[in-house]
Amino acid sequence: MQSIKPKTYKILFLFSLIFIGFVIFLSATFYWATAPRRLPTLTYKEVTHAMRGDIISRDDFRVATSKKLYKVTVDTRNIDPQKKELFVKLYSLYSGDDARKVLKTINSRFGSVVLSYSIDSKKAKYLKNLARKLFSLKVFISYEDPKTKDDFIHGMSVEESGEKRIYPAKDTLTPVVGYIRKIEKNRMTTITGVKGIEKYYEDKLAPIQDSILKGHRDIANTVILDRYSMYTKRMDGLNVYLNISLKLQKVIEKILDDKKKDLEAQEIIACVMDSKTGAILALATSNRYNPDFIRRVDYPSLNVSAIEYSYEPGSVMKPITFSLLLEANKVNPFDLVRIFGGKYRIGRKVIHDTHDFEWLSAEDVIVHSSNVGISQLAQKLDPIEFYKGLKDFGFSKKSGIDLPYEAKGAIPPLHKFESEIYKATIGYGYGLDANFMQVLKAYSVFNNNGRMVTPKIAKRISSDDGKYNLDDYMSQKQVIPVAVAKRMHKILIKTVLKGTGKAAIYDGLEIGGKTGTAHIAGGGGYTNKYNSSFFGFANDKTSRYTIGVLVRDPEKRYHYYASQTAVPTFREIVDKLVEEGFLKPSLSNQ
């Protein structure tokens, strides 16, 4: 048998190698043609979060506003090791962060790391542009996830992490403006109102709709706008515009600060309200705080005492009692009332006056603030007239002011008004609880032809696109007849000119009002502490303002009477109203 030549073996071996190589090539081609492709994701979603609305004063100062917070994240697995130094240098240049700290952060973890949480809007814009440049410089490279086998390039992202509430006016208009609390949700810092305007108008101030841009992306992670992309418009929260003038508010707060120090008072509250509309021009207190930095010592000042503190009003209730008598035709202003030298007994209780008059006309009972006189006059009201009258003036009901957590106060049940002593004490302001705003609202009746307005801090609600949603003032209620209101108006003017309110006189303006000095209840009885108040009005030919002042617990010896505390404060507020152009004196007014 002829043997196979060695050359033939070589040829057969060569063809075998070619065949095996061809089979491997076909197998590889088939595998890569049928295997799922591990490509970087081609879609991108960009969310721009809506912002909370601003609170803006009458004179266009932003009392509360918000700024966005941004965080910068980078996936270190996508940074080309050969270009890490370039990344650190460029990022530090754009962000202002220390390069050594940035490098340390990057080297601390193999994966996604946060470089900064405190990037402002301007830097965030620059850093977003930098992220695109880094892609074009090929600083970022693809990385295959060992678990999913997917390739990805996350690179550097600049994302909103929430918003920060800012109060540029610091403690001015607190606690009325209120404060917020932070809520962490879906890695975002959101805020919600807790007190004051921030709380009451939460549903208006809160962000409405985030902006979402979704679609295919290019290599720089920029969404390509085409028919497949989706976009929703960002809608920020509405702005709340106030009736309150920040300048006037600030000067009144300064008055209260000085008076609190001088009188050694626990707190002084004051309010200026338009008698015809209920618009509040200023609502101030001596006890304030900075909403940006609330300390433990500020906790007692977080509440709006003008609506959350109830007290026995004292003699400021006498004009209200007297107006009910006039409405019921049960008194003539010129009737004579026996005062008995300022001491009068009802049952076992002896009622005292600070004056020793023997007789006063009925209207002078108000002018000279006689407890004895009003105690006797109050007996003429039947229980239903008295009880319903106080209800009509708004007592034991919320005033309707646009602030949360208002205390309603309380008046005795109807059957108590059958008691002579209850009639007497309620007639001069003891035995019932009211808050400051309820009394102020009641006094607007005497300066508005018998109609009662609803106090309003906010003037309008609006969006940035200029579409205004004006808040209509609530309908005014006729509490007492016009003739009765006009008579009470004159009596309150006389009280200032000839009675307990003389320190409020201002030439060229129409000033009226009533003082009140009442013991503070405590320990099952009455303490030797007092609340002093003055409620009234200041008018010129065109403007009419209801003004109230409450001095809580003045400790300076012999300076607790309202004529020495609240009335001078009232007068200083009127001075500022004139200086700021809200009132224009005219000699013909007196």
Side-chain angles (χ1 to χ4, degrees):
M1 183 177 179
Q2 190 176 2
S3 63
I4 300 175
K5 295 179 179 181
K7 186 177 181 180
T8 303
Y9 278 115
K10 291 180 180 179
I11 293 171
L12 288 174
F13 180 72
L14 179 61
F15 273 105
S16 298
L17 287 177
I18 293 171
F19 177 76
I20 292 170
F22 184 69
V23 171
I24 292 172
F25 171 75
L26 288 176
S27 299
T29 302
F30 177 77
Y31 172 78
W32 288 112
T34 57
R37 303 179 70 190
R38 297 189 298 274
L39 297 175
T41 178
L42 298 177
T43 59
Y44 184 72
K45 180 180 178 181
E46 183 177 291
V47 179
T48 303
H49 294 278
M51 297 277 284
R52 188 176 181 83
D54 294 341
I55 300 174
I56 304 170
S57 70
R58 178 193 186 108
D59 38 5
D60 291 326
F61 288 100
R62 274 173 165 72
V63 180
T65 187
S66 294
K67 76 172 184 178
K68 288 192 181 239
L69 300 175
Y70 293 84
K71 69 177 180 180
V72 181
T73 308
V74 67
D75 197 311
T76 59
R77 294 170 295 186
N78 291 141
I79 300 176
D80 187 339
Q82 302 300 319
K83 296 181 179 180
K84 182 185 290 186
E85 185 178 341
L86 175 63
F87 172 81
V88 172
K89 183 177 181 179
L90 289 174
Y91 172 79
S92 300
L93 182 65
Y94 276 70
S95 67
D97 292 346
D98 184 83
R100 289 171 297 180
K101 292 182 179 179
V102 174
L103 182 61
K104 183 179 179 181
T105 301
I106 290 175
N107 291 333
S108 66
R109 182 178 176 184
F110 188 60
S112 181
V113 295
V114 178
L115 299 179
S116 177
Y117 286 99
S118 57
I119 298 297
D120 60 31
S121 299
K122 188 176 182 180
K123 288 181 180 178
K125 182 179 178 181
Y126 292 151
L127 288 169
K128 286 180 180 179
N129 290 332
L130 174 62
R132 298 184 181 98
K133 291 178 182 178
L134 292 174
F135 272 104
S136 63
L137 293 172
K138 297 183 179 179
V139 171
F140 299 124
I141 58 177
S142 180
Y143 172 80
E144 181 182 297
D145 190 316
K147 293 182 179 180
T148 64
K149 303 300 182 181
D150 288 336
D151 293 330
F152 64 86
I153 304 179
H154 286 164
M156 183 177 75
S157 64
V158 183
E159 301 174 316
E160 296 173 37
S161 60
E163 65 177 298
K164 180 181 179 181
R165 199 65 166 167
I166 302 170
Y167 298 89
K170 301 186 185 304
D171 70 342
T172 302
L173 196 53
T174 60
V176 170
V177 68
Y179 62 95
I180 55 90
R181 75 165 174 267
K182 298 177 183 178
I183 300 174
E184 300 296 329
K185 184 179 180 182
N186 298 327
R187 296 186 298 176
M188 284 287 296
T189 301
T190 59
I191 56 180
T192 183
V194 177
K195 296 279 285 187
I197 294 292
E198 293 276 27
K199 172 66 176 179
Y200 189 88
Y201 286 104
E202 172 64 26
D203 61 330
K204 304 293 191 303
L205 290 165
I208 299 171
Q209 176 178 277
D210 295 338
S211 168
I212 300 176
L213 180 59
K214 186 176 181 181
H216 296 297
R217 68 171 178 85
D218 59 21
I219 193 171
N221 270 354
T222 302
V223 175
I224 301 170
L225 298 177
D226 56 22
R227 62 176 179 166
Y228 300 108
S229 59
M230 182 195 76
Y231 173 71
T232 59
K233 183 181 178 181
R234 166 180 153 183
M235 298 176 66
D236 291 336
L238 301 177
N239 295 330
V240 176
Y241 288 82
L242 308 181
N243 288 307
I244 292 176
S245 162
L246 194 66
K247 186 178 181 183
L248 179 64
Q249 176 80 16
K250 204 170 187 68
V251 297
I252 292 178
E253 287 176 352
K254 177 65 167 59
I255 291 171
L256 304 191
D257 290 346
D258 293 343
K259 288 292 184 182
K260 177 185 177 181
K261 183 177 179 181
D262 180 52
L263 298 170
E264 300 174 13
Q266 180 182 339
E267 181 182 17
I268 304 180
I269 304 165
C271 184
V272 179
M273 181 177 73
D274 189 310
S275 301
K276 294 181 284 187
T277 66
I280 290 179
L281 279 65
L283 177 53
T285 174
S286 58
N287 297 5
R288 303 184 301 279
Y289 61 92
N290 186 343
D292 285 325
F293 306 102
I294 297 176
R295 306 160 299 170
R296 184 178 295 274
V297 70
D298 295 323
Y299 289 177
S301 302
L302 299 180
N303 296 334
V304 183
S305 296
I307 63 166
E308 296 182 61
Y309 171 67
S310 292
Y311 64 102
E312 292 177 296
S315 293
V316 293
M317 291 299 295
K318 289 172 183 173
I320 293 166
T321 302
F322 197 79
S323 69
L324 297 178
L325 287 160
L326 288 175
E327 182 184 20
N329 292 316
K330 297 202 172 168
V331 69
N332 184 302
F334 305 110
D335 289 343
L336 287 179
V337 181
R338 183 79 181 270
I339 307 302
F340 302 101
K343 187 181 293 186
Y344 183 69
R345 180 182 293 275
I346 298 180
R348 290 183 295 177
K349 182 176 179 61
V350 178
I351 297 170
H352 295 274
D353 277 348
T354 56
H355 302 289
D356 58 357
F357 295 110
E358 279 297 326
W359 295 88
L360 284 173
S361 69
E363 70 174 28
D364 282 348
V365 166
I366 304 301
V367 173
H368 296 289
S369 197
S370 171
N371 293 337
V372 171
I374 201 68
S375 296
Q376 294 177 79
L377 292 173
Q379 306 306 319
K380 297 183 179 184
L381 290 169
D382 67 49
I384 293 178
E385 285 173 337
F386 209 167
Y387 179 82
K388 182 179 180 298
L390 293 176
K391 287 276 191 179
D392 289 343
F393 266 96
F395 294 100
S396 77
K397 302 176 185 177
K398 292 184 178 181
S399 69
I401 190 173
D402 40 351
L403 287 172
Y405 310 120
E406 180 176 4
K408 293 194 301 183
I411 59 177
L414 178 59
H415 70 88
K416 293 283 189 180
F417 286 82
E418 296 176 359
S419 162
E420 287 187 357
I421 193 60
Y422 263 97
K423 278 187 180 180
T425 55
I426 290 170
Y428 56 79
Y430 282 88
L432 76 163
D433 287 331
N435 67 53
F436 173 92
M437 194 56 59
Q438 287 173 320
V439 181
L440 187 81
K441 179 178 179 178
Y443 266 71
S444 71
V445 171
F446 304 136
N447 202 36
N448 192 34
N449 290 322
R451 295 189 300 274
M452 187 164 59
V453 296
T454 299
K456 277 292 179 184
I457 295 174
K459 183 178 183 180
R460 69 177 185 264
I461 313 295
S462 75
S463 58
D464 286 333
D465 61 10
K467 295 179 180 178
Y468 297 102
N469 175 22
L470 296 176
D471 276 349
D472 294 329
Y473 289 105
M474 297 179 66
S475 59
Q476 299 181 7
K477 176 184 176 182
Q478 192 75 38
V479 176
I480 54 177
V482 174
V484 173
K486 287 184 179 295
R487 169 53 66 179
M488 290 306 306
H489 189 85
K490 291 179 179 179
I491 293 173
L492 292 175
I493 292 173
K494 185 178 179 181
T495 303
V496 168
L497 294 175
K498 297 184 178 181
T500 57
K502 289 179 181 178
I505 294 173
Y506 195 112
D507 289 340
L509 294 177
E510 185 180 69
I511 306 291
K514 180 69 185 74
T515 53
T517 305
H519 283 279
I520 297 174
Y526 288 101
T527 66
N528 286 323
K529 297 181 178 182
Y530 297 85
N531 283 323
S532 305
S533 61
F534 185 77
F535 288 86
F537 50 81
N539 305 330
D540 61 17
K541 288 184 177 180
T542 58
S543 301
R544 306 173 74 85
Y545 299 114
T546 304
I547 304 172
V549 175
L550 172 64
V551 181
R552 294 178 58 191
D553 188 18
E555 294 186 1
K556 197 166 186 179
R557 194 176 182 187
Y558 305 127
H559 282 75
Y560 59 84
Y561 285 111
S563 59
Q564 301 167 314
T565 57
V567 178
T569 306
F570 178 99
R571 169 55 196 264
E572 288 192 34
I573 291 171
V574 173
D575 286 340
K576 295 303 179 184
L577 288 171
V578 173
E579 287 179 20
E580 299 300 327
F582 290 94
L583 287 171
K584 298 177 181 179
S586 171
L587 291 179
S588 61
N589 277 12
Q590 288 292 347

